[in-house]
Amino acid sequence: MVNCCGLVTDRKEPVPLKSIDAQLEVKDHVATLVSTLNYENKEDKPLEAVFVFPLPGDAAVCHFSAQIGETHIVAEVKEKQQAQEEYDDALSSGQQAFLLEESDESPDIFSLKVGSLPPGESASIRLEYVTELAVQADDGLRFCLPAVLNHRYHPQGSEGPSVQVTSVPASLVPYSLSFSAQVSSPRPISKIESSCSLEPLQYLNADQTQATVKLVAGHKFDRDVELLIYYKDAHQPSAVVEAGQASAKPGSLMGDPVVMVSLYPEFPQSVMSSLAACGEFVFLVDRSGSMSCPMNNSTPQETRISSAKDTLLLLLKSLPMGCYFNIYSFGSSFEHIFPTSVEYSEKTMKEALEKVEKMGSNLGGTEILRPLKHIYSQACIPKHPRQVFVFTDGEVGNTKEVTDLVKKNAGSHRCFSFGIGEGASSALINGMAKEGGGHAQFITGADRMQPKEMQSLRFALQPAVEDISVSWGLPKGVSATVLSPPIKAIFQGQRSLIYAQLTGQVGSPASHFEAGGSVTVKYSLAGHPSQNQLHFKLKPAEDSGLTVHRLAARTVIRSLESEERTRRGQQDEEVKIKVVELSIQSGVSSCFTAFIAVNKDSGKAVQGPLVRRNVPTVKRCPVGATLQKPLIVSSIYECSGLLKLTSCTHLSSSFHFTCDGDLDSERSYPKSVQPHKDPLLQLVSLQKASGSWMLDEDLTAVLGKTKEEVEKAKPELVGCSLK
């Protein structure tokens, strides 16, 4: 019989993890998270606690330590096999040991093992990582502390997972989370929002460039914690120079200064206004069984497949006339609506939407490789650049294989990925967009869905930037070695990051401080040469630690790992050695290394066989009711968001409908109008391929207006567009 003292899972197994304390520090658009995991063994047997959990796929894990009573142990980064052997040897000899390692299948899954925790003993594990914050469509910077680790599907014939995920329903998560954030920026902080309840924002200075915020007390770690940070004038280019580590060898990445450059390219308006929208838009929709699950634990009535279909509706309605498109869907097998891409028209759009409406999450597993290979095998349409949009909850076990395939075919398309629902794999969603020269979005609820979709479509309608080059203007004796992989894509107003190692007499003589340096990104846009330049000071920033160095090291490590997979079987051992050396030198984790800590000063050995206890993560909830609550809308629609992005742009600044009150009150709706559905989606569903609406009872029902009221509000400038 299991001793059920202390925290227990739904299987009545004790859980030694009591609580997690997470402290976030944000400096401009770089975040450092320090998590403290508090363990206590309340059983009468020694334990090995195993916790498999998600982290952001682009995070650089850079510190791991343990506190047992008065003893503090800092883990070392070692080659993974060596670390595992040291951990096993420590346990067999009765010593306490701690092991943190990245999954072989996906860089956003980590396994933490706390070994030989004696009865009555407590231990605090400190885990630290740094990451860049992605800029959202509404200019907010997004940080996500993931709690949900969805099970990953492994296609038939592929290798199984090296780690097993233990999960429980959200209501039974047996440990709590305390979370606080401190934010600082050169620019004022406008606001901070979250998917979870926050205490009021507190500013720390008069100019509002520093602030703190934290979750309300008693928060259960039963869902992802999403934080959105808004700065005034967020699109300002910047550069940070960070001094090297004093103990590191000069000439090495950690020993030399490193600069992180953040650019927001602005394309010449004269060029942008002359470009005709065209392209082949290929939509790939996940219809695996997991897409029937709720978007998040807060709104169980909203499913992932319904959100994916709504997203697809908005995008299809916004395509420019004359482009080409097709829709694929996949699970264990895949389907397509048209044999090949067809020209976008009222007829083809209507046919596609009728089939989209019937889509269900009924195609089995999540096997995305086969449909991707099929899409890449299709001939491209001349003068219509291919844009692939992928909608998935990211529950795949072969993440690296998928991103490698996208990278291999990056020359023939751009990839725009949408992570649908809480727990979507950040490694897959970000990886596909990065390797495919596109853009990634995460949709975890109806809020902010529309601006995200429109941002990706605007990016897709922008022409591909070609002949991208980076040049540096530095004082004599100083040179820059770019550490980032070559820039594959540049979008209007979207941030581009560059890391570079500075060698030579940086910061000396003193005149270099004043002279500073510059970086210039040159490129060709529709045959027109363009460039963006940033000047910066060479003096290292104060109190920046080694954050920039670790992010740069992470960038190099990921590039080398990708190279190793590409060259596997051909001198791959040489690349692996480089990864291990840099990982150990920088203290940043990789797929070939792990953090290992052994308590050699614990006195007597722990006696008796270890009992393994798996620490659970959140399990997705069963699908609940599909009926949504009525929505109260004060301004239902402004055409600047969802009208055609090409021929109808003249409409966007002058035309909007406004309706007050509950749109789902007991009025009589036509059969084509569904009163429980989002009014904005209802309105978009009535839009024609040309961007116009028919002024009929369906439209007036959605607007909550009479036909006469709509006629009266119709601007003369666009009278031809509303029939």
Side-chain angles (χ1 to χ4, degrees):
M1 180 176 179
V2 175
N3 177 14
C4 293
C5 60
L7 300 161
V8 295
T9 69
D10 56 344
R11 296 180 181 178
K12 305 302 180 184
E13 295 176 339
V15 178
L17 177 60
K18 295 178 62 179
S19 64
I20 301 175
D21 174 71
Q23 296 182 353
L24 178 70
E25 182 181 16
V26 177
K27 292 184 177 180
D28 206 3
H29 59 263
V30 172
T32 301
L33 185 84
V34 177
S35 295
T36 303
L37 294 82
N38 299 303
Y39 288 83
E40 183 178 358
N41 181 8
K42 289 190 174 183
E43 299 188 62
D44 57 4
K45 309 176 186 69
L47 298 181
E48 179 187 36
V50 180
F51 189 19
V52 179
F53 57 95
L55 286 181
D58 54 359
V61 178
C62 54
H63 178 86
F64 178 55
S65 62
Q67 184 79 32
I68 309 100
E70 299 297 320
T71 304
H72 182 68
I73 314 164
V74 178
E76 297 179 72
V77 180
K78 296 188 177 182
E79 191 276 327
K80 185 175 283 190
Q81 183 63 35
Q82 179 186 349
Q84 183 64 60
E85 290 174 357
E86 289 187 16
Y87 177 80
D88 293 338
D89 290 344
L91 297 194
S92 63
S93 61
Q95 293 178 312
Q96 292 175 317
F98 308 87
L99 183 70
L100 178 71
E101 59 182 331
E102 180 184 307
S103 165
D104 291 333
E105 291 82 33
S106 184
D108 63 346
I109 301 178
F110 279 76
S111 174
L112 169 61
K113 295 180 180 179
V114 178
S116 291
L117 190 62
E121 184 81 83
S122 297
S124 292
I125 310 300
R126 179 185 169 101
L127 171 66
E128 180 178 338
Y129 67 78
V130 294
T131 187
E132 303 147 358
L133 300 186
V135 182
Q136 303 298 288
D138 59 359
D139 293 341
L141 273 69
R142 179 180 185 265
F143 170 82
C144 182
L145 178 62
V148 181
L149 176 53
N150 297 327
H151 293 274
R152 304 291 171 86
Y153 178 86
H154 286 260
Q156 190 173 9
S158 66
E159 297 181 4
S162 60
V163 289
Q164 296 294 327
V165 179
T166 302
S167 58
V168 296
S171 59
L172 296 178
V173 174
Y175 43 87
S176 61
L177 170 74
S178 59
F179 176 86
S180 62
Q182 182 163 330
V183 181
S184 62
S185 170
R187 297 169 292 280
I189 302 161
S190 301
K191 59 181 177 177
I192 298 179
E193 298 178 346
S194 177
S195 58
C196 305
S197 298
L198 296 175
E199 293 189 358
L201 178 68
Q202 294 185 344
Y203 289 105
L204 302 180
N205 57 2
D207 58 5
Q208 299 186 343
T209 58
Q210 297 180 24
T212 62
V213 72
K214 60 182 178 180
L215 290 179
V216 296
H219 176 83
K220 278 281 189 182
F221 201 14
D222 58 356
R223 59 189 182 275
D224 291 351
V225 178
E226 184 183 53
L227 208 65
L228 290 162
I229 302 167
Y230 295 86
Y231 300 135
K232 292 182 180 177
D233 301 321
H235 288 248
Q236 292 293 322
S238 62
V240 176
V241 178
E242 185 178 79
Q245 192 173 19
S247 59
K249 181 182 178 182
S252 66
L253 187 151
M254 299 304 291
D256 284 341
V258 170
V259 60
M260 177 178 65
V261 177
S262 176
L263 294 173
Y264 292 87
E266 293 293 333
F267 297 161
Q269 186 59 39
S270 58
V271 176
M272 293 295 291
S273 60
S274 65
L275 297 174
C278 61
E280 178 196 11
F281 298 87
V282 180
F283 302 98
L284 180 58
V285 184
D286 189 343
R287 289 176 57 192
S288 61
S290 59
M291 290 290 286
S292 64
C293 295
M295 286 288 288
N296 53 56
N297 290 315
S298 301
T299 55
Q301 73 275 15
E302 184 184 3
T303 64
R304 300 175 191 172
I305 187 65
S306 65
S307 177
K309 289 162 63 175
D310 289 344
T311 305
L312 189 53
L313 165 68
L314 292 167
L315 289 171
L316 276 176
K317 289 285 185 174
S318 299
L319 291 180
M321 295 293 286
C323 72
Y324 287 77
F325 80 105
N326 202 354
I327 301 173
Y328 291 76
S329 56
F330 69 95
S332 297
S333 58
F334 71 91
E335 301 174 356
H336 45 68
I337 290 182
F338 305 107
T340 60
S341 294
V342 297
E343 186 173 351
Y344 180 76
S345 65
E346 184 67 31
K347 179 177 180 296
T348 56
M349 181 193 75
K350 185 176 180 181
E351 181 180 349
L353 287 175
E354 287 175 352
K355 294 181 179 179
V356 167
E357 185 61 33
K358 297 176 183 177
M359 284 183 176
S361 50
N362 56 354
L363 290 186
T366 314
E367 300 191 23
I368 192 173
L369 274 177
R370 285 182 59 208
L372 275 176
K373 288 179 179 178
H374 177 81
I375 291 169
Y376 294 147
S377 70
Q378 303 297 300
C380 293
I381 301 172
K383 297 184 179 181
H384 286 273
R386 178 173 290 168
Q387 322 284 346
V388 177
F389 287 72
V390 180
F391 310 87
T392 177
D393 59 12
E395 296 193 15
V396 304
N398 55 346
T399 297
K400 294 178 180 178
E401 194 174 359
V402 174
T403 55
D404 286 348
L405 178 65
V406 174
K407 180 180 180 180
K408 181 180 177 182
N409 292 275
S412 64
H413 78 299
R414 289 190 293 191
C415 184
F416 297 85
S417 52
F418 293 82
I420 306 292
E422 207 166 41
S425 168
S426 61
L428 178 73
I429 305 305
N430 286 327
M432 292 183 71
K434 182 179 180 180
E435 298 298 353
H439 187 69
Q441 303 279 15
F442 290 86
I443 298 174
T444 55
D447 58 320
R448 298 188 303 277
M449 181 171 74
Q450 291 86 3
K452 290 181 178 182
E453 294 153 5
M454 291 304 102
Q455 182 187 48
S456 288
L457 184 56
R458 280 194 294 270
F459 287 167
L461 288 170
Q462 291 178 17
V465 172
E466 301 174 330
D467 303 325
I468 303 172
S469 65
V470 178
S471 59
W472 299 82
L474 297 168
K476 186 176 181 180
V478 180
S479 60
T481 302
V482 176
L483 303 172
S484 309
I487 298 175
K488 295 180 179 179
I490 295 178
F491 297 109
Q492 166 87 348
Q494 182 64 17
R495 187 177 69 203
S496 296
L497 278 176
I498 304 171
Y499 293 95
Q501 179 179 343
L502 301 177
T503 56
Q505 300 297 314
V506 180
S508 177
S511 59
H512 284 184
F513 290 164
E514 300 173 4
S518 67
V519 59
T520 304
V521 178
K522 297 181 179 180
Y523 50 89
S524 175
L525 178 67
H528 297 265
S530 299
Q531 70 176 41
N532 291 103
Q533 188 176 66
L534 173 67
H535 293 270
F536 58 91
K537 296 180 180 179
L538 284 174
K539 184 178 181 180
E542 297 180 1
D543 301 325
S544 59
L546 291 171
T547 301
V548 174
H549 280 75
R550 287 164 176 162
L551 287 172
R554 186 278 321 268
T555 298
V556 176
I557 286 170
R558 293 292 183 237
S559 296
L560 288 171
E561 288 172 342
S562 177
E563 182 183 343
E564 186 273 339
R565 293 194 300 273
T566 303
R567 294 170 53 183
R568 189 159 289 172
Q570 303 175 14
Q571 299 177 324
D572 58 298
E573 191 64 28
E574 179 183 337
V575 179
K576 180 179 176 180
I577 291 172
K578 289 182 181 179
V579 172
V580 172
E581 287 179 349
L582 180 55
S583 179
I584 293 173
Q585 178 197 132
S586 63
V588 172
S589 64
S590 74
C591 65
F592 300 124
T593 54
F595 284 91
I596 173 70
V598 178
N599 185 8
K600 299 179 180 179
D601 302 322
S602 57
K604 61 181 181 180
V606 177
Q607 302 296 319
L610 293 181
V611 178
R612 178 169 173 145
R613 295 294 183 226
N614 293 327
V615 177
T617 55
V618 182
K619 179 167 64 178
R620 56 180 182 265
C621 299
V623 179
T626 57
L627 191 64
Q628 297 184 15
K629 295 180 180 179
L631 296 174
I632 298 177
V633 179
S634 61
S635 181
I636 181 175
Y637 177 62
E638 293 201 19
C639 297
S640 57
L642 292 167
L643 265 179
K644 296 297 176 182
L645 300 174
T646 52
S647 59
C648 291
T649 53
H650 64 280
L651 203 58
S652 63
S653 62
S654 59
F655 182 41
H656 72 271
F657 292 111
T658 303
C659 54
D660 300 302
D662 186 351
L663 293 179
D664 289 333
S665 59
E666 296 182 3
R667 76 166 70 94
S668 176
Y669 284 90
K671 289 183 180 180
S672 59
V673 176
Q674 304 170 45
H676 66 274
K677 204 169 174 65
D678 185 334
L680 176 57
L681 293 173
Q682 293 267 24
L683 183 63
V684 173
S685 68
L686 298 175
Q687 188 180 22
K688 300 297 181 181
S690 62
S692 64
W693 283 269
M694 294 294 293
L695 183 48
D696 54 23
E697 63 174 352
D698 290 345
L699 180 62
T700 57
V702 172
L703 297 175
K705 301 285 185 180
T706 66
K707 183 177 179 181
E708 290 72 22
E709 288 174 317
V710 177
E711 286 276 14
K712 186 177 180 180
K714 190 171 59 176
E716 293 184 7
L717 176 64
V718 292
C720 60
S721 296
L722 190 61
K723 299 176 182 177

